[in-house]
């Protein structure tokens, strides 16, 4: 779970790294609790039959993006207040398939010259 409080956009990229079955769903969830302990609200989904269906081989990837306004609106519609933490949920067609997920936070509210140091892993 990542905090969107000071960001305008959240983008997730899923990369199919092992296996040859489709991804059934690729969703971005919001929650009011930093550990996901509250009520999950689905903000946006790529579902089977759509883009997720085409992520069915190693090397395939897709992006899904939401705005802070979408989080607020979907949480409000679901009766959940204070939802600002987001995470990705994947349902894979086969239990042995694996994916890599990358989170990208953008449009920072308080931009500075250097937001982070260089890290090498």
């Amino acid at each position: 779970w990542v905090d969107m409080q000071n960001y305008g956009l959240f983008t997730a990229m899923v990369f199919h790294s092992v296996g040859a079955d489709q991804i059934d769903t690729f969703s971005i969830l919001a929650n009011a609790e930093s550990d996901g302990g509250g009520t999950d609200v689905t903000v946006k989904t790529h579902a089977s039959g759509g883009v997720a269906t085409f992520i069915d081989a190693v090397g395939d990837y897709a992006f899904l993006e939401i705005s802070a306004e979408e989080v607020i609106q979907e949480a409000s519609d679901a009766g959940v207040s204070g939802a600002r933490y987001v995470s990705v949920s994947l349902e894979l067609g086969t239990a042995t398939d694996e994916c890599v997920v990358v989170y990208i936070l953008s449009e920072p509210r308080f931009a500075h010259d250097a937001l982070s140091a260089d890290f090498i892993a």
Side-chain angles (χ1 to χ4, degrees):
W1 294 95
V2 295
D3 192 351
M4 278 196 68
Q5 181 178 12
N6 292 318
Y7 294 91
L9 292 174
F10 173 77
T11 305
M13 191 243 349
V14 62
F15 174 84
H16 201 165
S17 58
V18 174
D21 203 354
Q22 74 181 24
I23 293 175
D24 291 334
T25 59
F26 169 23
S27 303
I28 297 177
L29 308 176
N31 199 298
E33 302 292 328
S34 63
D35 64 355
T39 301
D40 288 344
V41 175
T42 301
V43 180
K44 192 176 280 185
T45 298
H46 280 317
S48 185
V51 171
T53 302
F54 299 105
I55 309 170
D56 62 357
V58 171
D60 288 352
Y61 61 92
F63 290 87
L64 192 57
E65 181 179 76
I66 60 167
S67 68
E69 289 79 17
E70 288 176 290
V71 172
I72 293 166
Q73 184 64 54
E74 293 298 324
S76 175
D77 291 350
V80 175
S81 63
R84 68 182 219 209
Y85 301 96
V86 294
S87 186
V88 167
S89 174
L90 293 175
E91 291 182 25
L92 304 177
T94 303
T96 57
D97 282 9
E98 297 178 13
C99 292
V100 174
V101 178
V102 176
Y103 290 2
I104 304 165
L105 290 162
S106 56
E107 291 189 6
R109 184 176 300 170
F110 304 106
H112 299 283
D113 290 337
L115 291 176
S116 63
D118 291 332
F119 291 97
I120 299 171

